[in-house]
Amino acid sequence: MRHRVAGKKLNRTPAHRRALFRNLVTALLDHEAVRTTDAKAKELKRWGDRLITLGKQGTLHARRRAAALVQSRTVVKKLFDELAPRYQARQGGYTRVVKLGVRAGDAAPVSIVELVDRAGSEPETTKKKPQRRRDTAKAAGGGKKRAAG
């Protein structure tokens, strides 16, 4: 039984797994989106959300805990100065996983992990549903042409 055992092993040693997720979470916070396999993406979501929560705390202790995981000082600075204020009003769910399909080389399921409310992406609520072509043709007086006869 796996009672109270969090996280996936991903067929790696603990040191390799920790190094993998430290690299992935650093890239996620730096670029705000990372393309990886589904299993790694689901686990990376947990790591990313946890670090953004540390950033929202804003204390020296939280900064040191984040610096122990993140591999770059500039990314730690970005986490506390840019990302934490952006998500201050949000209660959780700072990242999303979008499935992309399968990778061509080995048919592994691939996903993208991205921060919600990223800079440069418009909010989902302002997107307007595109008008169907059939509806526009009817409105213009078009429609099916009938054969004369």
Side-chain angles (χ1 to χ4, degrees):
M1 287 183 269
R2 298 188 72 247
H3 295 306
R4 297 177 59 92
V5 178
K8 297 288 182 191
K9 289 187 177 182
L10 299 174
N11 201 21
R12 287 167 169 79
T13 62
H16 185 189
R17 191 167 52 247
R18 180 175 164 85
L20 169 77
F21 285 114
R22 286 181 67 189
N23 287 330
L24 280 173
V25 80
T26 301
L28 174 67
L29 295 175
D30 191 18
H31 303 292
E32 300 189 12
V34 173
R35 186 173 175 264
T36 184
T37 62
D38 285 356
K40 290 179 200 167
K42 289 176 184 178
E43 185 68 17
L44 176 60
K45 182 174 168 47
R46 292 178 63 237
W47 284 60
D49 285 352
R50 197 165 288 168
L51 276 174
I52 292 174
T53 303
L54 279 178
K56 284 173 59 176
Q57 291 175 5
T59 61
L60 178 62
H61 181 58
R63 187 177 290 266
R64 286 178 175 165
R65 286 177 59 194
L69 284 176
V70 176
Q71 307 242 343
S72 169
R73 283 187 179 179
T74 58
V75 175
V76 174
K77 183 170 175 48
K78 178 181 179 180
L79 171 65
F80 281 83
D81 295 345
E82 295 176 29
L83 299 178
R86 185 190 310 173
Y87 297 110
Q88 199 63 45
R90 186 179 282 268
Q91 293 295 312
Y94 313 111
T95 56
R96 78 166 61 97
V97 177
V98 179
K99 297 191 178 195
L100 298 177
V102 293
R103 190 161 50 200
D106 58 355
V110 177
S111 295
I112 187 167
V113 182
E114 61 184 359
L115 299 179
V116 297
D117 302 335
R118 275 198 306 171
S121 68
E122 60 182 282
E124 294 129 13
T125 56
T126 62
K127 289 185 182 175
K128 201 172 177 185
K129 193 173 181 181
Q131 211 173 20
R132 293 173 48 187
R133 290 177 67 193
R134 188 174 63 197
D135 294 340
T136 57
K138 285 182 183 177
K144 290 187 180 181
K145 292 183 180 179
R146 296 187 181 174

